[in-house]
Amino acid sequence: MKKKDLTKEKKILDATVQIIIDEGAAAISTTKVAKKVGISQSNIYLYFKDKRALLDGVYLREIGRLEETTGMKQMLDPNEAMIPRVFSYLKALYDFSLANPHSLFVIEQIKLLSRDFPDYIENLVGPNNPVAQLFETGIKAKVLRPIDRSLSMTIIFSVILRHTENIQTGVYSENEVSFAAVSRMIWDAITIVPYPDELLK
């Protein structure tokens, strides 16, 4: 049995990400990824058993990078108060999206595939997801609006994704539309408590 080469695995994931950016997640095939990396298709299967495993690998890598940020670590800490945890999630997602162009787009593209495959990455985005748990807890704590968490999560993700794409493509600058302005808009949409101005400092 061949030994796995971690640099080759990274190249496979990087090639998959680039195809998603250029053509969308639905365009991914092991044949296309192998061609982009410059290896045989059978080589892909040494690392990923099929297309789904390949997409799961990309999704987990991007989410893992996000969860390693300071803000996400604070959000994941159950000992923190609820308002700072929610705010940390907004700020972490915002900072991560600016620092990692296309990451949120790639995550979103992979999640969109779940519409065609009901069980697709269910364990990754289902009720055991730490962000989903934060929202359930936030609703019970009367911090977040008592509506389906998927709506609030979509508001946050979509607004931050569009906003950081606008900055990256020069539609406007970060000085023209600040994090404070965007986060206030999101905060008003998803919470029932005043915006925590003190956390901006």
Side-chain angles (χ1 to χ4, degrees):
M1 183 176 170
K2 289 183 181 177
K3 189 175 179 181
K4 288 187 177 180
D5 176 349
L6 294 180
T7 60
K8 190 174 285 183
E9 183 173 346
K10 180 182 182 303
K11 287 177 184 175
I12 291 168
L13 291 174
D14 289 346
T16 305
V17 166
Q18 193 56 55
I19 293 167
I20 293 172
I21 291 167
D22 294 341
E23 304 176 46
I28 292 296
S29 70
T30 53
T31 306
K32 192 178 284 189
V33 172
K35 185 176 179 183
K36 191 159 190 71
V37 178
I39 59 176
S40 67
Q41 185 180 9
S42 61
N43 239 301
I44 298 283
Y45 299 125
L46 178 62
Y47 302 89
F48 304 98
K49 67 178 183 177
D50 54 24
K51 171 182 168 176
R52 175 171 172 165
L54 182 56
L55 289 166
D56 284 354
V58 170
Y59 183 90
L60 286 170
R61 183 177 78 166
E62 297 304 313
I63 289 294
R65 290 167 62 200
L66 173 59
E67 289 179 352
E68 283 302 307
T69 64
T70 304
M72 285 297 285
K73 286 179 181 174
Q74 183 179 2
M75 184 280 285
L76 293 167
D77 184 354
N79 297 315
E80 284 281 348
M82 184 53 56
I83 290 173
R85 287 180 71 192
V86 174
F87 186 85
S88 290
Y89 177 61
L90 296 183
K91 188 70 167 83
L93 207 57
Y94 177 86
D95 291 342
F96 179 78
S97 189
L98 281 179
N100 299 278
H102 309 301
S103 280
L104 293 192
F105 174 78
V106 168
I107 291 168
E108 181 183 55
Q109 280 287 305
I110 294 172
K111 286 170 72 174
L112 284 173
L113 289 180
S114 64
R115 293 178 180 173
D116 298 323
F117 305 97
D119 69 333
Y120 195 77
I121 59 174
E122 178 56 32
N123 291 332
L124 306 178
V125 299
N128 294 326
N129 176 283
V131 177
Q133 290 177 348
L134 171 72
F135 276 77
E136 294 298 334
T137 305
I139 290 168
K140 289 176 186 169
K142 300 190 184 313
V143 169
L144 297 174
R145 294 189 185 279
I147 59 174
D148 187 272
R149 62 180 164 76
S150 67
L151 296 175
S152 294
M153 291 169 72
T154 299
I155 289 169
I156 295 169
F157 201 90
S158 298
V159 171
I160 289 177
L161 174 58
R162 176 55 61 89
H163 172 59
T164 54
E165 281 179 346
N166 285 348
I167 290 172
Q168 290 156 358
T169 57
V171 173
Y172 50 72
S173 72
E174 195 174 358
N175 290 333
E176 291 173 299
V177 184
S178 67
F179 168 73
V182 171
S183 61
R184 278 179 200 280
M185 180 179 72
I186 295 170
W187 194 266
D188 288 345
I190 68 167
T191 77
I192 51 177
V193 296
Y195 183 83
D197 289 288
E198 69 280 3
L199 295 179
L200 274 176
K201 298 171 185 174

